[in-house]
Amino acid sequence: MTKSENEITRLISKQYSPTKANISKTYFEDYQDKYFKKDNIAEIYHENTKLSRHTKTKLERSAAKFLNSKDIKYCVDNMNLDYKNHKKYPLPKPELNMDAKNLFEILMNRRSSRRYSDDNMDLNTFSILLYYSFGISTSQMKKELRVYPSAGALYPIEIYIFLTNYIDDLSPGVYHYVPKKHILRKIRETNPESISDLYADSESFNYTRPDLSIFLTSIFWRSYAKYGPRAYRYILQESGHICQNVQLVATALNLGSIPRAGYLDNQVNNYLGLDGVSEAVVSSISVGCVSEVVQDGI
């Protein structure tokens, strides 16, 4: 998409800006009314994406095209971001040199961490974190499958990493992770302090303390083309699966992590160079070293 097309898309998006909404009441007061409101976009979306016998028929026809059309298969297989002109950073093969931990123990120890140490993550630990959170686990029917579930194995989620601290020789900046090759592409140089401008709650949480913050974005049409509006449900589910992966792998590595919902959508999209419509941020999680795993109860 060209720069001018990006600007047009952003202008269209601004027409639906929530800043134009009535904010005289709180969400709790809205909830107390407990009836369907025609201006509640969440309720409208939920009603319009319910699966019925009617929509199931259309969905099945769409899915059949994905299975049988060589043209559609080619488009889907090549609907990848083009960062080939950006500097490549191959990551080391993940070496698990730690004691094996029981999955159930990891699940019980998973907590969100708000306090981080001054230590920096090493490159091998970073490589393990990315590989086991997002990486390729196997291949079936010429399709590479990742370590998290994705509706139709379409993988609309893209992974951007904002490094706020050095990880060995890897300098602070914004990187795009490519699971297929287990490499990073550096998208932009950045001042680590600028990450605070991307969150609404930066006054209560120091985002420069964790080694990195991960922004999950979605290229929506990867899923929309097959599943229609219901795809948005699947996309959000996928981002949730990924965040849980990150937290469990971080726990196994004795790292701290915390999902962050307080990101400012437009600021993040602009910072990453996204138009905010065809591709936009849908989730965020921070990870870093901790002197001890502090259980914050979430």
Side-chain angles (χ1 to χ4, degrees):
M1 186 175 286
T2 65
K3 185 176 181 181
S4 59
E5 287 174 328
N6 271 342
E7 290 302 318
I8 293 170
T9 308
R10 288 188 179 119
L11 286 172
I12 294 171
S13 177
K14 284 182 180 178
Q15 293 182 26
Y16 301 93
S17 172
T19 57
K20 297 179 181 179
N22 181 2
I23 57 172
S24 59
K25 296 170 67 176
T26 65
Y27 289 122
F28 181 72
E29 288 172 308
D30 287 340
Y31 166 75
Q32 286 179 309
D33 294 337
K34 292 183 181 177
Y35 63 85
F36 184 90
K37 297 187 181 72
K38 63 180 181 181
D39 61 344
N40 187 323
I41 194 69
E43 290 179 349
I44 293 169
Y45 176 79
H46 188 77
E47 290 299 320
N48 281 274
T49 57
K50 286 181 175 177
L51 191 62
S52 65
R53 287 186 175 86
H54 173 72
T55 55
K56 179 174 176 288
T57 300
K58 187 172 182 178
L59 191 149
E60 287 174 343
R61 289 173 182 165
S62 177
K65 275 186 174 284
F66 266 69
L67 289 173
N68 301 320
S69 170
K70 291 182 180 179
D71 292 338
I72 290 178
K73 185 178 185 305
Y74 176 83
C75 289
V76 171
D77 289 345
N78 289 277
M79 202 183 292
N80 299 315
L81 295 176
D82 184 12
Y83 289 123
K84 291 180 181 178
N85 293 328
H86 293 260
K87 188 173 180 180
K88 179 172 67 174
Y89 293 84
L91 293 167
K93 182 179 178 180
E95 294 184 9
L96 291 171
N97 52 9
M98 59 184 185
D99 294 333
K101 290 189 177 182
N102 185 294
L103 173 61
F104 299 104
E105 178 186 352
I106 294 170
L107 284 166
M108 295 303 291
N109 289 334
R110 184 218 61 81
R111 290 293 181 275
S112 295
S113 301
R114 289 175 174 79
R115 283 167 274 183
Y116 294 85
S117 71
D118 293 328
D119 297 330
N120 286 14
M121 195 184 304
D122 64 76
L123 192 59
N124 183 56
T125 300
F126 180 55
S127 177
I128 292 171
L129 176 70
L130 298 189
Y131 184 80
Y132 288 98
S133 295
F134 317 114
I136 306 297
S137 58
T138 189
S139 179
Q140 293 180 7
M141 299 175 65
K142 298 182 180 180
K143 180 73 175 179
E144 291 177 328
L145 303 179
R146 301 185 188 178
V147 291
Y148 56 87
S150 176
L154 295 174
Y155 302 109
I157 299 294
E158 294 291 332
I159 302 117
Y160 294 86
I161 299 161
F162 192 133
L163 282 190
T164 48
N165 295 318
Y166 271 88
I167 296 182
D168 290 356
D169 294 330
L170 204 58
S171 62
V174 177
Y175 298 80
H176 177 254
Y177 178 61
V178 185
K180 185 174 183 177
K181 299 179 180 179
H182 191 52
I183 63 170
L184 295 171
R185 294 275 186 184
K186 194 165 192 176
I187 304 305
R188 62 176 293 176
E189 300 284 348
T190 186
N191 176 359
E193 298 290 337
S194 64
I195 193 170
S196 298
D197 299 331
L198 306 181
Y199 290 91
D201 58 348
S202 57
E203 292 182 1
S204 59
F205 184 84
N206 185 353
Y207 283 94
T208 63
R209 291 303 299 274
D211 292 286
L212 57 102
S213 287
I214 299 166
F215 292 105
L216 303 178
T217 71
S218 174
I219 299 179
F220 298 103
W221 277 103
R222 280 189 194 155
S223 290
Y224 282 3
K226 182 174 182 178
Y227 297 113
R230 192 174 171 87
Y232 197 73
R233 294 191 186 206
Y234 304 151
I235 289 165
L236 296 184
Q237 288 174 5
E238 183 171 326
S239 70
H241 300 323
I242 293 172
C243 282
Q244 177 74 338
N245 267 14
V246 173
Q247 285 217 286
L248 294 180
V249 176
T251 301
L253 294 169
N254 295 316
L255 299 171
S257 65
I258 182 168
R260 307 302 303 189
Y263 54 85
L264 298 165
D265 293 69
N266 289 341
Q267 282 85 333
V268 173
N269 291 332
N270 290 337
Y271 204 85
L272 298 178
L274 313 179
D275 63 27
V277 178
S278 57
E279 183 183 1
V281 62
V282 294
S283 192
S284 172
I285 183 169
S286 299
V287 185
C289 295
V290 288
S291 52
E292 58 179 310
V293 178
V294 180
Q295 296 189 357
D296 288 322
I298 299 175

